[in-house]
Amino acid sequence: MEALVAQAIKDTATFRKTSVPWTLDEPYTQTYYGFDPATSTWVSKSPSALGSSSKNDNDSLATTAIALYTWNIDFMVPFAAARMRPALAHLYQLTRLLPLHVAPVIFLQECTPSDLETIAATPWVQANFHLTDIDTTNWATTQYGTTVLVGKHLPITSVFRVHYSHTRMDRDALFVDVSTELEEKRIRLCNTHLESMALDPPYRPPQMQLVAQYMHHDGVHAALVAGDFNAIQPFDRTLHVDNNLKDAFLELGGAEDTEEGYTWGQQATTKQRAQFGCSRMDKVYFRGSVKLLKFEKFGEGILAEGDEERRQIVELGFEKPWVTDHLGVMAVVEVLPSTKGQL
């Protein structure tokens, strides 16, 4: 596994795009996609305008809560499709029984180009979700990136990325603005993969500070940011407080340095676990007029497909052929009228 990590770091410059159309730290609007069964293709969609929902649209009117799932699917381990397929199957089992008034949204980090193809080819995704990405057009690198799946009954009013200036690893923040029936307010969702490792100067604080600026914008009724926050240093524990946000795990009584909070380490290689221990890397922060109803971990024990694939993954130093070294986390929030918000 050490060789794979070293190669991935070495490849960073190779996969980085040399010419891009966006300005760092500024919003770059991108399209999103819906599946067209008639042509069996993903087609570009136009965002809905706030206030344009039809009162006869029972699907959008039914949505009063959002179930947000975030999961980092390790890009360095081989056999991307053999790992992404069971990961998606697990997400299907988690989302398929949600109440009708709860819209699912899925954040994924460390997606490879192969992963985007696997996601787009998955029938239940085609039937139930819009996608922010079907290729690497809006990533700063072709190595890996972030993407969002939005339940197709949740109106999308805007999609944009903010590519960080403070990054050595081509990281960004992917924002999706949605609206629910409730006063048709703007709910801003952000998927981000904060800078990895304990490097100096640290870039996670300025990255989260930039994300928070967009979360606190005027006209944003409520906002959630989630993803792999790579929280491995003391300053990571206060990034939510520093930016006037709330940490979903802590809000529901969770405590730091507990097994209940750890999302990385349990499924790392045996050597990595011995070296680094376990940590709460993956988080959900929020602000505004939402009520946090639930927070849970998921994704434990999900295994890759194929006997040969499993054998080779275990040979890398894993106890089992897990699909990824991270556990996912999910939060359910109810959208509230403006006067009843939290924070």
Side-chain angles (χ1 to χ4, degrees):
M1 191 64 197
E2 290 82 358
L4 289 179
V5 173
Q7 187 62 47
I9 295 172
K10 182 180 178 182
D11 286 343
T12 299
T14 303
F15 287 102
R16 180 176 294 131
K17 296 177 182 178
T18 56
S19 177
V20 295
W22 50 78
T23 301
L24 298 180
D25 292 342
E26 296 292 333
Y28 182 75
T29 300
Q30 66 175 77
T31 189
Y32 70 97
Y33 301 88
F35 189 74
D36 179 9
T39 59
S40 294
T41 57
W42 288 90
V43 296
S44 177
K45 304 282 286 186
S46 298
S48 306
L50 274 176
S52 66
S53 297
S54 168
K55 293 302 179 184
N56 295 321
D57 185 350
N58 292 326
D59 291 327
S60 64
L61 287 177
T63 303
T64 58
I66 294 171
L68 176 60
Y69 301 80
T70 179
W71 205 4
N72 179 320
I73 307 297
D74 190 355
F75 82 98
M76 287 184 285
V77 176
F79 311 116
R83 293 184 296 110
M84 181 55 80
R85 282 193 295 263
L88 289 172
H90 181 53
L91 285 164
Y92 172 66
Q93 294 301 324
L94 294 174
T95 59
R96 70 186 183 93
L97 297 179
L98 287 173
L100 289 177
H101 70 281
V102 181
V105 177
I106 299 170
F107 288 1
L108 297 172
Q109 302 91 42
E110 291 196 29
C111 284
T112 64
S114 166
D115 289 332
L116 293 181
E117 294 176 5
T118 300
I119 294 166
T122 301
W124 68 267
V125 174
Q126 296 171 352
N128 296 290
F129 287 86
H130 289 137
L131 304 181
T132 58
D133 303 271
I134 58 173
D135 55 36
T136 64
T137 297
N138 295 295
W139 296 354
T141 174
T142 58
Q143 190 175 29
Y144 64 87
T146 55
T147 195
V148 174
L149 291 67
V150 181
K152 68 179 185 179
H153 299 313
L154 187 62
I156 295 174
T157 60
S158 177
V159 181
F160 63 94
R161 280 184 195 266
V162 178
H163 291 270
Y164 299 131
S165 61
H166 288 89
T167 181
R168 307 167 184 88
M169 305 171 183
D170 307 302
R171 302 292 167 83
D172 62 32
L174 171 55
F175 291 89
V176 180
D177 289 351
V178 299
S179 65
T180 65
E181 58 146 315
L182 193 69
E183 304 173 4
E184 294 187 324
K185 297 290 189 179
R186 185 184 305 275
I187 312 300
R188 178 158 289 173
L189 309 174
C190 176
N191 178 9
T192 192
H193 183 190
L194 297 184
E195 204 81 352
S196 304
M197 302 187 286
L199 302 177
D200 193 44
Y203 282 165
R204 291 188 295 279
Q207 288 172 352
M208 184 54 67
Q209 184 179 25
L210 187 62
V211 167
Q213 289 177 17
Y214 289 93
M215 294 175 69
H216 287 289
H217 269 184
D218 290 343
V220 175
H221 185 70
L224 293 88
V225 57
D228 176 4
F229 289 2
N230 275 302
I232 56 174
Q233 292 178 272
F235 62 75
D236 289 304
R237 298 187 177 213
T238 61
L239 286 184
H240 60 295
V241 177
D242 297 340
N243 292 286
N244 199 23
L245 303 171
K246 292 191 174 185
D247 183 315
F249 172 69
L250 300 179
E251 286 297 308
L252 291 184
E256 298 285 12
D257 304 313
T258 60
E259 182 61 36
E260 291 75 23
Y262 295 148
T263 63
W264 186 90
Q266 304 97 320
Q267 296 185 173
T269 64
T270 306
K271 186 173 182 179
Q272 286 176 319
R273 190 186 314 124
Q275 182 178 359
F276 300 112
C278 293
S279 55
R280 187 168 73 95
M281 287 194 184
D282 304 85
K283 300 182 181 183
V284 179
Y285 292 167
F286 67 98
R287 63 149 295 270
S289 296
V290 288
K291 179 181 180 181
L292 179 64
L293 302 179
K294 184 178 183 181
F295 182 90
E296 289 182 348
K297 294 191 295 187
F298 67 88
E300 184 174 1
I302 308 303
L303 304 180
E305 297 176 345
D307 292 341
E308 180 60 20
E309 290 87 345
R310 290 181 174 187
R311 184 188 68 78
Q312 291 192 39
I313 291 172
V314 169
E315 283 187 349
L316 294 172
F318 295 96
E319 291 174 18
K320 294 182 180 180
W322 294 300
V323 296
T324 182
D325 53 348
H326 284 255
L327 302 185
V329 295
M330 69 86 69
V332 179
V333 296
E334 177 188 0
V335 180
L336 300 175
S338 303
T339 56
K340 297 181 181 179
Q342 299 181 5
L343 195 65

